[in-house]
């Protein structure tokens, strides 16, 4: 007999969002449930209507089969669907996984309801028990529950079959920018309840301590019996029955045959409000009692008292205009694809907390439920986004009535699941799906069901940031130019908070101008922040020899995967896909093993809760930049960095400051007289162990300059300058003489933004040097050379003068007007092997670039040369240090080179020439050189974010015309 679930081809019927599925609710059934996770029998069919036959293999649940031992591998496409069929159709080749296992239903469950919960299945789930159809569910990122009471026998054994169809009508609205996978990606549970149970609990907890708990009681069949009642307590404080909604004495219409409603209330005296800075939670227990007082059902919640309101154009939490220092987060893991454990999620959030983030947008679907528990607990504001992205067919679908159901279903089920989380402050209707009546239908549902939170949708907001008609209470653009945001805020026409749902695209070496964004946000009423795109570089750990994902079980590799021989971080195209979008999937602020990229340090500093606001004769002004708390959770130390004298440390006493408050602290050090640059840094760390950081974890290091550099004069030396026949410097420690460089290995921003294309067209990557003249000039030698590109010639002069202990090199390059935006103007040379350590005075210790250098304080820094390089997945310009005044490169016996620069300059010391980096596509293919490749730049172009969004600001471009720079080279 044909299976009806298959016969109806429901995977091509968008009107069918479910069948037999229980309503979503916020009663957490995870604790006390039986886990059905583990190995299941598994078969991969080529289509949903292929007869189930052949031998079984096994698959782990939860887990995507695309990351396990099957031929159906992960695939990365951003906007384009991986097949040509229009919505709602699917390709004939439609991998379908059949999962099967036995379940033993405990005899004690006799007379009770038995419920199967499938945490997430991608993209259509068909459920059978003992061969009988039980239900259907769609939405790959929300759980589906089915009542098995009529299908299983307590004390008996049944066979559960979960059939998962990969491509469906639903895939067309799950076209998010990440890997395509398939399988059961969250846990599967079995639990039981009394037939009469708590069907839902809705909590409203306001910052004044007012608590309202609405409980729904449902029965599976018969009438609600008399005398049952609901009780609750909040950390022992009993809740009162609201007489108007009392289950026991309810009016007729409140207790019908199958639904009872009860409302509990409390007023919590001296409530400790919840905010992301102060994530205060209270424990709520709700109980359903039988008439004799015994407990039939219990539901536990953690409650945070807080208000979210939009007043005028400000988003207020507990009455305060907060800043959203957000990031977009996918459920991602390099070994499982999508499945994330409690520890994984906690590690994500702990890292974000440590780097100053306070908000998450669950791009672009409801994340794993545990994420919200952790956000409540650790303190994050969450924009909870529904699983709707129809990017490739956005316009057709937004008004397609066949998809109306799916839109409302997805948004409403998210709200029903997550409504009790204090962390969730905004609902989002989805992403990149145009804007149509289907969105308005979903918005209508949310506004009615949950008037306590604003709603946002970028696709609607972009029709008019101030338009009251569109379904978005927030102006939430993506990648809007900063000047447009500022102009809107200053226009007098702004009516909604402006919080970018995506900005500062973190692909490769990126996030230029983040500091400019934050300077504008903090200075411009109406701007409240945004969400960086994105948290993860979605590299999948791959064995290079057979091209397979390593999958969970590659234990030991994960911590150090890039270093493990024979492995790499795979991106689009690496699994043999013909069509793909390459490294665009690797665009996060952390690497696939969660190592922070340098931008994280920049972000940490930009979100500093404590700032230094300038030096005054009587001290230095310290301010508290938080919204809700004092500085008592922090401790600090002063550090004085002297260009000519090392580093001094002194204890610091943080003042007792309210949010927004300032105080003047006396200068902790008397400046030594001997001149030279001097910088004062306040090293701020956590004062005690916190849930997200042990005591002593760095929080920020604000810095002020106490004294500028005095101009230095090099004493004339007696040395001789040796120049070869090509006019190139000969030096015992250099294997390659300093020459002019105008190029860098293009970053992803350079490539995708089109700049690299111009550089290649100009021939900057292969300039032809020709010697013009060599002249004796006083004690020195002046060398003039020309560097010809395809469209212009750069004249470059180097004057080599002996100075005490070494050599001074004065350089000048004259760029023709057509080279109006080059990567750099500077010198590049290479050293002998063995100089493996760099010590410098300048900004650091982490990588920094002209438009991403706010998080790198000036000081004395040191690192092994190998550690200076940042292993971006696709090799590109990397490892630069901004604002370097001088540095040494030395061998273990302290011999080596010392270089001093005329001004703070961009310096890069690596094992790779720019052309080494462009010759390969993955980090593991790079072969380090034994010596150092050293770039000293008179000017270096900013990084910007042009791989998706605005390029750097004009002030960070390298202009044509004359550039001059000088440096001295000494042997240690
Ligand atoms: C946005 C989109 C994201 C991602 C990003 C680029 O347009 O919402 O999902 O594609 O661009 O990485
Ligand atoms: Mg998209």
């Amino acid at each position: 007999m044909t299976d009806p679930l298959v016969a109806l081809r429901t995977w091509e019927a968008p009107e069918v969002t479910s069948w037999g599925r229980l309503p979503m609710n916020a009663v957490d059934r995870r604790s006390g449930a039986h886990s059905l996770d583990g190995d299941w029998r598994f078969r991969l069919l080529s289509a949903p209507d292929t007869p189930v036959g052949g031998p079984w293999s096994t698959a782990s649940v939860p887990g995507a089969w695309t990351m396990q031992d099957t031929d159906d591998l992960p695939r990365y496409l951003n906007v384009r669907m991986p097949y040509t069929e229009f919505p709602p159709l699917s390709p004939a080749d439609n991998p379908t996984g059949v999962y099967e296992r036995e379940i033993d239903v405990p005899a004690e469950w006799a007379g009770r309801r038995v419920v199967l919960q499938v945490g997430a299945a991608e993209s259509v789930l068909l459920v059978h028990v003992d061969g009988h159809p039980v239900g259907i569910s769609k939405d790959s990122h929300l759980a589906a529950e089915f009542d098995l009471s009529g299908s299983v026998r307590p004390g008996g054994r049944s066979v559960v079959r979960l059939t998962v169809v990969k491509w469906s009508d639903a895939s067309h609205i799950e076209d998010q920018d990440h890997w395509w996978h398939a399988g059961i990606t969250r846990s599967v549970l079995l639990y039981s309840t009394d037939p009469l149970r708590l069907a839902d609990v809705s909590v409203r907890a306001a910052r004044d301590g007012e608590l309202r708990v609405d409980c729904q009681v449902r029965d599976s069949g018969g009438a609600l019996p008399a005398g049952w009642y609901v009780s609750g307590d909040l950390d022992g404080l009993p809740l009162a029955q609201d007489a108007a909604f009392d289950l026991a004495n309810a009016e007729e219409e409140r207790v019908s045959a199958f639904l009872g409603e009860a409302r509990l209330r409390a007023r919590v005296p001296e409530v400790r409000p919840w905010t992301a800075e102060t994530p205060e939670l209270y424990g709520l227990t709700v109980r359903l009692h039988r008439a004799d007082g015994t407990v039939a059902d219990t539901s536990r919640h953690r409650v945070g008292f807080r208000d979210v309101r939009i007043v005028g154009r400000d988003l207020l939490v507990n009455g305060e205009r907060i800043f959203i220092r957000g990031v977009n987060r996918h459920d991602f893991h390099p070994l499982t694809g999508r499945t994330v454990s409690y520890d994984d999620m906690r590690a994500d959030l702990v890292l974000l907390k440590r780097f100053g983030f306070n908000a998450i947008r669950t791009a672009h679907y409801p994340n794993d439920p545990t994420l919200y528990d952790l956000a409540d607990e650790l303190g994050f504001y969450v924009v909870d986004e529904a699983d709707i992205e129809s990017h490739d067919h956005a316009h057709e679908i937004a008004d397609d009535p066949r998809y109306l159901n799916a839109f409302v279903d997805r948004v409403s089920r998210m709200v029903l699941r997550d409504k009790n989380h204090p962390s969730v402050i905004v609902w989002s209707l989805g992403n990149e799906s145009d804007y149509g009546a289907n969105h308005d239908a979903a918005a209508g549902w949310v506004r009615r069901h949950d008037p306590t939170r604003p709603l946002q949708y970028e696709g609607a907001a972009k029709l008019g940031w101030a338009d009251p008609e569109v379904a978005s209470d927030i102006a939430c653009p993506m990648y809007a130019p900063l000047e447009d945001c500022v102009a809107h805020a200053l226009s007098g026409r702004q009516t909604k908070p402006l919080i970018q749902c995506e900005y500062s695209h973190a692909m490769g070496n990126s996030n230029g101008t983040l500091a400019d964004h934050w300077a504008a946000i903090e200075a411009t009423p109406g701007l409240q922040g945004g969400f960086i795109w994105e948290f993860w570089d979605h590299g999948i750990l791959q064995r290079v020899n057979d091209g397979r994902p390593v999958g969970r079980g590659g234990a030991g590799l994960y911590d150090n995967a890039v270093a493990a021989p024979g492995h790499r971080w795979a991106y689009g195209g690496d699994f043999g896909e013909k069509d793909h979008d390459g490294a665009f999937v690797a665009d996060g602020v952390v690497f696939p093993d969660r190592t922070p990229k340098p931008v994280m340090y920049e972000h940490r500093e930009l979100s500093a809760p404590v700032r230094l606001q300038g030096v005054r004769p009587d001290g230095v002004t310290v301010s508290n930049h938080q919204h809700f708390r004092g500085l008592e959770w922090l401790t600090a130390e002063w550090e004085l960095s002297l260009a000519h004298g090392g580093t001094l440390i002194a204890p610091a006493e943080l003042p007792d400051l309210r949010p927004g408050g300032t105080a003047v602290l006396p200068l902790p050090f008397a400046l030594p007289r001997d001149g030279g640059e001097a910088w004062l840094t306040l090293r701020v760390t956590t004062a005690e162990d916190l849930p997200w950081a042990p005591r002593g974890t760095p929080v920020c290091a604000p810095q002020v300059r106490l004294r500028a550099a005095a101009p230095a004069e090099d004493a004339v030396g007696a040395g001789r300058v040796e120049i070869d026949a090509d006019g190139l410097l000969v030096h015992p420690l250099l294997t390659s003489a300093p020459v002019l460089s105008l190029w860098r290995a293009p970053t992803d921003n350079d490539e995708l933004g089109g700049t690299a294309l111009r550089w290649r067209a100009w021939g900057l990557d292969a300039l032809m040097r020709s010697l013009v003249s060599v002249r004796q000039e006083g004690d020195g030698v002046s060398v003039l050379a020309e560097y010809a590109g395809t469209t212009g010639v750069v004249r470059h002069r180097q004057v080599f003068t002996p100075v005490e202990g070494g050599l001074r090199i004065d350089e000048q390059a004259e760029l023709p007007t057509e080279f109006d935006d080059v990567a750099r103007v500077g010198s590049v040379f290479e050293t002998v092997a063995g100089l493996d350590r760099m010590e410098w005075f300048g900004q650091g210790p982490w990588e920094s670039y002209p438009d991403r250098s706010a998080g790198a304080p000036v000081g004395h820094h040191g690192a092994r040369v190998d550690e200076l390089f940042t292993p971006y997945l696709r090799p590109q310009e990397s490892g630069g240090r901004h604002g370097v005044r001088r540095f040494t490169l030395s061998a273990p016996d302290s011999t080596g080179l010392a270089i001093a620069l005329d001004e703070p300059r961009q310096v890069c010391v690596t094992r790779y020439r720019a052309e080494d980096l462009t010759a390969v596509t993955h980090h593991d293919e790079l072969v380090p050189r034994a010596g150092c490749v050293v770039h000293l730049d008179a000017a270096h172009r900013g990084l910007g974010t042009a791989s998706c969004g605005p390029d750097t600001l004009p002030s960070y471009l390298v202009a044509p015309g004359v550039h001059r720079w000088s440096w001295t080279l000494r042997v240690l």
Side-chain angles (χ1 to χ4, degrees), residues 92-169:
D93 180 7
N94 189 357
T96 298
V98 181
Y99 295 79
E100 226 181 67
R101 63 164 280 165
E102 278 71 41
I103 54 166
D104 291 313
V105 181
E108 315 79 271
W109 288 4
R112 290 174 66 81
R113 229 170 120 247
V114 178
V115 178
L116 173 74
Q117 184 191 85
V118 180
E122 186 158 348
S123 70
V124 178
L125 171 68
L126 311 177
V127 182
H128 293 84
V129 172
D130 294 328
H132 302 296
V134 166
I136 295 176
S137 180
K138 295 176 188 173
D139 192 335
S140 301
H141 301 277
L142 282 175
E145 292 193 333
F146 304 92
D147 188 340
L148 304 191
S149 313
S151 316
V152 296
R153 198 172 44 77
R157 168 170 275 209
S158 288
V159 175
V160 171
R161 171 179 288 190
L162 304 179
T163 304
V164 180
V165 184
K166 182 171 184 179
W167 305 121
S168 68
D169 56 88

Side-chain angles (χ1 to χ4, degrees), residues 412-467:
S412 63
R413 293 181 76 233
M414 168 183 75
V415 172
L416 288 166
R417 186 190 75 162
D418 296 333
K419 59 184 177 247
N420 294 340
H421 289 282
S423 55
V424 174
I425 61 164
V426 176
W427 302 116
S428 163
L429 299 181
N431 188 57
E432 297 188 320
S433 304
D434 205 333
Y435 178 38
N438 293 345
H439 291 100
D440 281 336
W445 191 93
V446 181
R447 292 199 196 287
R448 170 80 188 177
H449 190 85
D450 179 19
T452 71
R453 292 175 177 93
L455 176 99
Q456 75 174 50
Y457 175 52
E458 184 269 338
K462 76 176 169 203
L463 298 186
W465 290 355
D467 187 341

